[in-house]
Amino acid sequence: MSLLVIGSVAFDALETPFGKTDKIIGGAATYISLAASYSTKPVNLVAVVGGDFPQSDILTLEEHGVNVEGLQIKPDEKSFFWSGKYNKDLNSRETITTELNVLGSFDPIIPDAYQDCKYLMLGNLAPQVQRLVVQRLVNRPKLIVLDTMNFWMDSAPDELLATIEMVDVLSINDEEARQLSGEYSLVKAARKILALGPKFLIIKKGEHGALLFHKNKVFYAPALPLEEVFDPTGAGDTFAGGFIGHIAATDDCSFENLKRAVIHGSAMASFCVEKFGTERLLKLTQEEIEAREAQFEELVKVQPASVVA
Amino acid sequence: MSLLVIGSVAFDALETPFGKTDKIIGGAATYISLAASYSTKPVNLVAVVGGDFPQSDILTLEEHGVNVEGLQIKPDEKSFFWSGKYNKDLNSRETITTELNVLGSFDPIIPDAYQDCKYLMLGNLAPQVQRLVVQRLVNRPKLIVLDTMNFWMDSAPDELLATIEMVDVLSINDEEARQLSGEYSLVKAARKILALGPKFLIIKKGEHGALLFHKNKVFYAPALPLEEVFDPTGAGDTFAGGFIGHIAATDDCSFENLKRAVIHGSAMASFCVEKFGTERLLKLTQEEIEAREAQFEELVKVQPASVVA
């Protein structure tokens, strides 16, 4: 089922305790599209880059089934650039540089061929830009997923609330859920956030997994404890890409299927962190993905009490 | 099956963002014994208190099926006292007072009637005292569980390692696992710690749940997201008490049954934090416990993929 992804396609320069990179391909929509492409194709991308963006990276996206008709190229401008350095435990990072460049004036133009989109993934961007995408679609998609971050809660709270109101699924991390709701308890936070509009709330907790809230129900998908975490960049976006990719592939928006989508997204994110940037996401096989999902299911499996007793 | 519990029985004075208490009954062995008593009776207690310890609190333990024959009372001395204040997020706390009192010279005498013990829970105490209990038992118990903390890793590392070597299950939190092993990855930490002697390692992660490691296998029991956390004091000990209580009641030391013991312990701990001190643990019903365990199982439940697709 047709999937539309909007978000940044950009350059990142990363430093972790295990090494550093020069400018490499990054951006929310890059990770989302690559992760989703293992479930559903094509992934219809809307994004903007500058003339400095390598044709080879665009080809890489195309090779993974990403439709780049909606990727605007501004020859005389520069691509969005972010550089950051992770602390020793990889749980926190500091931003060294943020250069908005082309993203500062991004006008998300939807190609006509994308208008039949049934699933829409709004990757992290200014909320007014995310909203514009929804408004420009002739028919409302069956499911809209929104990823955002604390930066917009601080700088554009009203715009963000207006965007949150329009979507079906909101995906944020635990600190952001607490900030957005003003509640420390995630149960209370979820209740308040679901009252803002979304039918589903995903709270990402990094190495501790992810929670999916719907009405009064909650599902907890723990993260697989990993031998090695190399670079957490893009993990949240990869999670979102795996999540929406699974839903688009199965065309099923039930709570039960969204649980499986959370597990699939978690599995995809667990690959992402094993190497720098998008490296690991470029070379996955279906067998690897299925084996990893099986590990996630094994992780929480218990025999029924009657069998044990 | 007979369960022997050793640890502190003490006074705590607590302050959380929601209120404060005067001196109330606390101590690792108190929480462990109460939690275990919902699964198995009697709980044979070895501990020491001073003349200041109220007879009414001892009666309360007895009413819950705790055998206090091994509870030494030193009439002219004072009970162990700890006071602490929790920070706003309840994830960290500062110690205001620690008065060792009777605990400074604690000689763990095992009553003859306790010698048939099959399950031994070593609550947090000086590791040399914990080891003495094992040495004083004529027959080695079927399963020995050790709870300890970072304080002993800093102050008595050799004594602690000698004690860890003797036990079957070690229970510590994630920071302690990292400190003990020198590894940030919990998978690597677990491998190193299991090489020290224990067959099983439990890593407690507070609101993020608990991990159980055994050989190359891992089980993740997430914690139930709670509406309200009132006072985290004793949660780890309550977890340990529920864990060993379930094992003693079922007399089954398989990995599969230890998983269920982790879920039961997590459920017991989720009650503990709902009120100050031991208050919630004193008035539980089997129906409440079973309903809570069902919530823990529901939390991670997914339909098989074939049903969804």
Side-chain angles (χ1 to χ4, degrees):
Chain A
M1 294 295 151
S2 61
L3 169 63
L4 172 53
V5 171
I6 180 166
S8 55
V9 171
F11 288 126
D12 288 339
L14 311 169
E15 185 172 348
T16 81
F18 310 107
K20 57 188 291 184
T21 67
D22 291 328
K23 280 188 178 183
I24 57 173
I25 183 173
T30 304
Y31 287 99
I32 292 168
S33 299
L34 288 172
S37 75
Y38 287 94
S39 299
T40 187
K41 286 175 187 175
V43 176
N44 294 322
L45 174 67
V46 170
V48 62
V49 293
D52 56 349
F53 202 77
Q55 192 60 34
S56 60
D57 282 332
I58 297 175
L59 271 174
T60 300
L61 289 173
E62 286 190 283
E63 281 162 15
H64 279 82
V66 180
N67 182 352
V68 296
E69 190 189 338
L71 178 65
Q72 305 167 37
I73 301 174
K74 309 270 180 182
D76 303 326
E77 298 180 49
K78 289 173 76 180
S79 302
F80 176 64
F81 172 59
W82 178 82
S83 73
K85 184 178 173 176
Y86 288 86
N87 297 322
K88 204 181 150 204
D89 67 4
L90 295 175
N91 277 329
S92 56
R93 66 185 189 190
E94 48 184 312
T95 291
I96 295 168
T97 316
T98 305
E99 295 173 13
L100 271 184
N101 299 328
V102 288
L103 218 52
S105 58
F106 179 32
D107 180 34
I109 299 161
I110 319 283
D112 287 344
Y114 288 13
Q115 279 291 348
D116 72 339
C117 108
K118 199 163 178 183
Y119 293 95
L120 172 60
M121 178 70 227
L122 301 168
N124 178 44
L125 271 184
Q128 49 273 42
V129 177
Q130 293 173 315
R131 200 159 69 248
L132 213 48
V133 173
V134 180
Q135 289 162 343
R136 285 176 178 177
L137 288 170
V138 178
N139 300 309
R140 189 192 190 277
K142 184 174 171 185
L143 193 84
I144 304 176
V145 181
L146 170 69
D147 193 77
T148 188
M149 65 184 293
N150 52 0
F151 178 79
W152 308 110
M153 296 175 193
D154 295 326
S155 62
D158 295 339
E159 293 285 357
L160 180 60
L161 286 175
T163 304
I164 287 175
E165 200 184 330
M166 301 173 81
V167 307
D168 301 296
V169 185
L170 173 64
S171 167
I172 48 181
N173 72 27
D174 44 0
E175 277 180 53
E176 290 157 352
R178 285 169 172 146
Q179 179 176 344
L180 183 62
S181 64
E183 292 286 351
Y184 186 79
S185 154
L186 295 180
V187 176
K188 288 185 180 174
R191 195 178 300 136
K192 279 197 178 175
I193 293 169
L194 290 177
L196 299 176
K199 286 190 281 292
F200 299 93
L201 169 68
I202 294 169
I203 298 183
K204 298 172 285 185
K205 310 206 301 170
E207 64 162 329
H208 306 302
L211 291 162
L212 172 67
F213 289 91
H214 174 56
K215 295 180 180 168
N216 288 318
K217 291 179 282 193
V218 55
F219 170 67
Y220 195 143
L224 191 68
L226 294 174
E227 182 86 25
E228 203 88 78
V229 172
F230 200 73
D231 171 22
T233 309
D237 299 314
T238 302
F239 171 86
F243 176 79
I244 192 76
H246 174 87
I247 297 170
T250 50
D251 194 24
D252 174 354
C253 299
S254 66
F255 181 53
E256 203 51 44
N257 194 47
L258 263 61
K259 290 181 186 178
R260 295 205 72 82
V262 168
I263 294 174
H264 177 72
S266 302
M268 296 303 289
S270 77
F271 286 118
C272 175
V273 302
E274 288 178 345
K275 302 234 172 175
F276 263 125
T278 58
E279 192 180 342
R280 190 73 179 91
L281 284 186
L282 293 175
K283 294 171 197 166
L284 287 172
T285 65
Q286 291 300 332
E287 290 68 31
E288 284 175 311
I289 294 170
E290 281 164 28
R292 187 63 60 94
E293 282 185 311
Q295 281 184 282
F296 272 78
E297 294 189 27
E298 193 61 31
L299 187 62
V300 298
K301 199 178 278 177
V302 280
Q303 307 269 341
S306 55
V307 175
V308 172
Chain B
M1 293 295 151
S2 62
L3 169 62
L4 171 54
V5 171
I6 180 167
S8 55
V9 171
F11 289 125
D12 288 341
L14 311 168
E15 185 171 347
T16 82
F18 310 108
K20 58 188 292 184
T21 67
D22 291 328
K23 281 188 177 181
I24 57 172
I25 183 173
T30 304
Y31 287 100
I32 292 168
S33 299
L34 288 173
S37 75
Y38 287 93
S39 299
T40 188
K41 287 175 186 174
V43 176
N44 293 322
L45 174 67
V46 170
V48 62
V49 292
D52 57 348
F53 202 77
Q55 192 60 34
S56 60
D57 282 333
I58 297 175
L59 271 174
T60 300
L61 290 172
E62 286 190 284
E63 280 162 15
H64 280 81
V66 180
N67 182 351
V68 295
E69 189 188 337
L71 177 65
Q72 305 168 35
I73 301 174
K74 307 271 179 183
D76 303 326
E77 296 180 49
K78 288 173 76 181
S79 302
F80 176 63
F81 172 60
W82 178 83
S83 73
K85 184 178 172 174
Y86 288 86
N87 298 322
K88 203 180 151 205
D89 67 3
L90 294 175
N91 277 328
S92 57
R93 67 184 187 189
E94 48 184 312
T95 291
I96 296 168
T97 317
T98 305
E99 294 173 13
L100 271 185
N101 299 327
V102 288
L103 219 52
S105 58
F106 179 33
D107 181 33
I109 298 161
I110 318 283
D112 287 346
Y114 288 13
Q115 279 291 348
D116 71 339
C117 108
K118 199 163 181 183
Y119 293 95
L120 172 60
M121 176 71 228
L122 300 168
N124 178 45
L125 271 184
Q128 49 274 40
V129 177
Q130 294 174 316
R131 199 161 69 249
L132 213 48
V133 173
V134 180
Q135 289 163 341
R136 286 178 177 176
L137 288 170
V138 178
N139 300 308
R140 189 191 190 277
K142 184 174 172 186
L143 194 84
I144 304 176
V145 181
L146 171 69
D147 193 79
T148 187
M149 64 185 292
N150 52 0
F151 179 79
W152 308 111
M153 297 176 191
D154 296 325
S155 62
D158 295 340
E159 293 285 357
L160 180 61
L161 286 174
T163 304
I164 287 174
E165 202 185 329
M166 302 173 81
V167 307
D168 301 295
V169 184
L170 174 63
S171 167
I172 49 181
N173 71 30
D174 42 1
E175 277 179 51
E176 289 158 352
R178 285 170 172 144
Q179 179 176 345
L180 183 62
S181 64
E183 292 285 351
Y184 186 79
S185 155
L186 294 180
V187 176
K188 288 185 180 175
R191 194 177 301 134
K192 280 198 180 176
I193 292 169
L194 290 176
L196 299 176
K199 286 191 283 290
F200 300 92
L201 170 67
I202 294 169
I203 299 183
K204 298 171 285 184
K205 309 205 301 171
E207 63 161 331
H208 306 301
L211 292 162
L212 173 67
F213 290 91
H214 174 57
K215 295 179 179 168
N216 287 319
K217 290 180 282 191
V218 56
F219 170 68
Y220 195 143
L224 191 68
L226 295 174
E227 180 88 26
E228 202 89 77
V229 172
F230 200 75
D231 170 22
T233 310
D237 299 314
T238 302
F239 170 86
F243 176 79
I244 192 73
H246 174 87
I247 297 170
T250 51
D251 194 26
D252 174 354
C253 298
S254 67
F255 181 53
E256 202 52 44
N257 194 46
L258 264 61
K259 290 182 187 178
R260 295 205 71 84
V262 168
I263 294 174
H264 177 72
S266 302
M268 296 303 289
S270 76
F271 286 118
C272 175
V273 302
E274 290 179 342
K275 301 234 172 174
F276 262 126
T278 58
E279 191 180 342
R280 191 73 179 91
L281 284 186
L282 294 175
K283 295 174 196 164
L284 287 172
T285 65
Q286 291 300 332
E287 290 69 31
E288 284 176 313
I289 295 169
E290 281 164 28
R292 187 63 61 93
E293 282 185 311
Q295 281 184 283
F296 272 78
E297 293 190 27
E298 193 61 32
L299 188 63
V300 297
K301 198 177 277 177
V302 281
Q303 308 268 342
S306 55
V307 175
V308 173

